[in-house]
Amino acid sequence: MLKLVANLYLILFLFSPVFSQKEKHNITPKTEIERLTQLQSDTYDAGNYKNFKLYTDSILSIARANQLREHEIDALTRLGVYYKKTDAYDEAMTYYSKALEISEDIPDSYKKQTVILINLGHVYNQIGYHKKAKESFDKALKYIEDFNGPNIYRMAAYTGLSDAVSGNKNFTLSLKYLEKAKAIGEELKRDDIILNALNGMIENYLKLNQYEQALTYSKQAQTFHSTVPSIELRALNNYLLGASLVGLEKYNEAISPLQMAKGVAITNQFLKVQMLTHKQLTIVFEKQGNLKKANMEQKGYINAKEKYLQTLSKAKRLDVEQELADTEVLLKRENSFKWTSIWIGVSIAVTLLVILFVYRKNKKQAEFEANQLKEDRELLQNENEALKQKILKIAQQKSTSTINGNEKNNAKKTSLSKEEQEKYVSLILDYMEKEQPYLDHEMNQSLLAEKLGMTIHLFSEILNVCFEKNFNNFMNLYRVDKAKQLIKDPAYSQYKILAIGYEAGFPSKTSFNRVFKNLVGQTPSEYRNKQSDEIAL
């Protein structure tokens, strides 16, 4: 399911470790574990999972060397949390299982076993093993009932059970578990728990096609936005509100919450919310007949989907891909029924075919452009390697593919030999590196071709065949790379963002912000702030 699994029950346990009675010996190891546990807590709260793992590894080593079994269990559980956070589900299950095995040999360790079972259950849900997930949550609930465990554990188990049964298409039972989780949130006066439960309920109603109920709960959830700090929960709720309105065919009303959800998701890299919001907006604009906007949202959907699937385990990725495929098949069937119902005459049929042809052509072009955008972003990511060398590697790969005829539908035909291609690629890249023509915002394709001693036709052919880019995209790669260098350069720390843009060769603030955000995923100001934060750390 889409809903967020609240981290509060993890944090409650993870950073309140149970320490044994102090012994006369081994005081130093325990003191060191206490110190590392505090550092571990701080890095987890800050989202610095790399250092979180380093501290956890150290605690595990100390615990094992001094036979501190309870601390060993805590460390193993936290390593499970780390691997779950990084989507390495096989490793997460290994550590949770080991922690559970050790805890079963320790008297009165039901709290530890309960939390391990809850975490393990969420991993099973993530990889689609819903039956095993339910077994883990049921066992955790039994511990909670037998030992009168805290309600926060009970809420976590109910939330996990709702995911498990929803994964098996039992949406009605999932709603019952979420009602129980919501009731606990109300009892504890925890608005974040209530909002999380409401989001899950809305999602179930959407899957049951009960759009009026989904809309009612969406509006109820909106009242908690001012008291819940989690922007991810709020973005998710805006998406669900929009999806409810789409289900009720209230397309104009759906645009505003969907756009809000999309903006927050893009800014904060909430990939699943971003992907699904693009999908809903594609449907909205298709229904309104705005093919241009529908095509733009489809491009965004393809790009976000590709990124999102890369974050998942293989098992979960296959599960999500199948779910998305089922949704798209359903949409295609709806469209087929729609066109069949309005098939009146030959003239209308021809018009529809033309529209369909244009749309598919645009959609295919959108997929190609999305792949190019992904490639451009990857070029700008590894800053330890010069841009020239990275572009050269890709150009050589494309040159080889073109000569061997291995390119697919988007292959560019050329009469140039491999040797000629390599010669012109080197000429262009050397000139770009030494003369930096991209710093001149008035530089155009004709003028640069003249400086290179080429005809404009030949220059255009090299860009399209060897780099698979047009002139503007090619120049903007260098300009963004230069802008990133200037932002990181202390000598430019007092420069305004607009001045950085002009220095890098952009003709205006608008084009600088748009191109930089497209290729880096952040605005120049956001990128500068991030660099400042990293330096501060």
Side-chain angles (χ1 to χ4, degrees), residues 341-495:
S341 66
I342 62 171
W343 190 279
I344 297 174
V346 175
S347 60
I348 296 179
V350 170
T351 303
L352 292 176
L353 286 172
V354 170
I355 293 173
L356 185 60
F357 172 79
V358 172
Y359 177 73
R360 285 183 174 175
K361 181 179 179 181
N362 290 342
K363 189 175 179 180
K364 183 177 178 182
Q365 181 63 24
E367 291 175 354
F368 176 72
E369 290 174 1
N371 287 332
Q372 290 302 300
L373 178 60
K374 177 190 172 189
E375 182 178 284
D376 289 350
R377 286 186 172 183
E378 288 174 350
L379 281 170
L380 292 168
Q381 280 176 356
N382 181 10
E383 298 175 2
N384 294 322
E385 186 179 4
L387 182 61
K388 173 186 174 182
Q389 297 304 319
K390 290 184 283 187
I391 295 178
L392 181 59
K393 286 179 183 177
I394 290 179
Q396 289 171 341
Q397 293 170 0
K398 295 182 185 300
S399 175
T400 302
S401 298
T402 304
I403 295 297
N404 295 334
N406 293 330
E407 290 279 344
K408 295 183 179 178
N409 297 332
N410 289 311
K412 305 293 188 301
K413 303 298 182 181
T414 179
S415 60
L416 296 172
S417 66
K418 182 178 180 181
E419 290 72 24
E420 288 174 319
Q421 291 182 40
E422 290 176 349
K423 181 183 76 172
Y424 289 125
V425 163
S426 295
L427 175 64
I428 292 170
L429 294 181
D430 286 342
Y431 190 85
M432 294 294 289
E433 183 179 54
K434 294 174 184 176
E435 303 300 328
Q436 298 182 313
Y438 50 90
L439 298 180
D440 179 0
H441 70 270
E442 294 184 348
M443 180 62 64
N444 58 43
Q445 187 169 352
S446 176
L447 181 57
L448 184 52
E450 181 181 339
K451 290 180 177 294
L452 289 165
M454 299 181 185
T455 64
I456 189 170
H457 174 77
L458 176 59
F459 182 39
S460 178
E461 182 177 0
I462 296 298
L463 290 178
N464 279 276
V465 172
C466 300
F467 301 106
E468 288 191 355
K469 303 187 188 310
N470 61 34
F471 176 77
N472 288 332
N473 290 343
F474 184 71
M475 296 292 278
N476 284 337
L477 265 178
Y478 282 87
R479 287 169 177 158
V480 170
D481 186 64
K482 182 66 175 179
K484 289 175 70 178
Q485 293 174 29
L486 295 177
I487 289 172
K488 289 184 174 183
D489 189 344
Y492 289 82
S493 61
Q494 300 304 314
Y495 276 51

Side-chain angles (χ1 to χ4, degrees), residues 155-374:
M155 177 280 301
Y158 286 148
T159 303
L161 280 168
S162 75
D163 279 345
V165 297
S166 177
N168 287 323
K169 312 301 181 185
N170 192 340
F171 306 121
T172 302
L173 182 56
S174 177
L175 283 166
K176 291 180 180 179
Y177 283 124
L178 288 166
E179 286 283 6
K180 292 180 178 181
K182 177 172 171 285
I184 291 174
E186 291 168 347
E187 180 184 337
L188 297 175
K189 295 183 174 17
R190 291 286 299 271
D191 289 350
D192 54 339
I193 294 175
I194 298 171
L195 180 55
N196 188 57
L198 285 170
N199 281 344
M201 293 166 69
I202 298 162
E203 196 178 358
N204 278 289
Y205 282 122
L206 287 174
K207 290 181 177 179
L208 289 167
N209 295 327
Q210 296 180 17
Y211 301 118
E212 288 288 357
Q213 283 287 83
L215 182 59
T216 298
Y217 280 100
S218 294
K219 290 180 177 178
Q220 181 182 341
Q222 295 272 305
T223 63
F224 293 95
H225 282 209
S226 61
T227 57
V228 174
S230 171
I231 56 175
E232 191 169 5
L233 277 173
R234 300 199 303 267
L236 172 58
N237 181 241
N238 280 324
Y239 156 73
L240 293 170
L241 173 60
S244 302
L245 291 166
V246 171
L248 293 169
E249 299 183 0
K250 297 181 178 181
Y251 303 121
N252 290 335
E253 293 180 47
I255 292 175
S256 179
L258 288 173
Q259 293 282 26
M260 289 173 61
K262 184 178 76 170
V264 173
I266 291 174
T267 301
N268 295 278
Q269 292 294 294
F270 302 149
L271 293 177
K272 190 166 187 179
V273 176
Q274 180 185 344
M275 173 185 72
L276 295 177
T277 305
H278 278 303
K279 189 64 181 175
Q280 290 294 326
L281 284 168
T282 300
I283 296 170
V284 168
F285 293 129
E286 278 183 351
K287 296 293 185 181
Q288 292 182 335
N290 192 333
L291 292 180
K292 182 177 180 180
K293 285 190 176 181
N295 185 48
M296 289 175 61
E297 294 298 336
Q298 181 68 15
K299 287 166 62 177
Y301 166 71
I302 292 168
N303 193 28
K305 174 183 173 182
E306 183 174 347
K307 288 190 206 172
Y308 171 66
L309 292 177
Q310 288 173 354
T311 69
L312 304 179
S313 68
K314 181 178 180 181
K316 183 64 177 174
R317 183 163 61 249
L318 292 173
D319 186 43
V320 172
E321 285 179 335
Q322 183 59 51
E323 183 179 342
L324 292 173
D326 291 344
T327 302
E328 290 173 5
V329 167
L330 199 59
L331 288 171
K332 288 178 181 178
R333 287 176 180 170
E334 290 178 358
N335 284 336
S336 176
F337 175 79
K338 175 184 175 182
W339 296 130
T340 301
S341 66
I342 62 171
W343 190 279
I344 297 174
V346 175
S347 60
I348 296 179
V350 170
T351 303
L352 292 176
L353 286 172
V354 170
I355 293 173
L356 185 60
F357 172 79
V358 172
Y359 177 73
R360 285 183 174 175
K361 181 179 179 181
N362 290 342
K363 189 175 179 180
K364 183 177 178 182
Q365 181 63 24
E367 291 175 354
F368 176 72
E369 290 174 1
N371 287 332
Q372 290 302 300
L373 178 60
K374 177 190 172 189

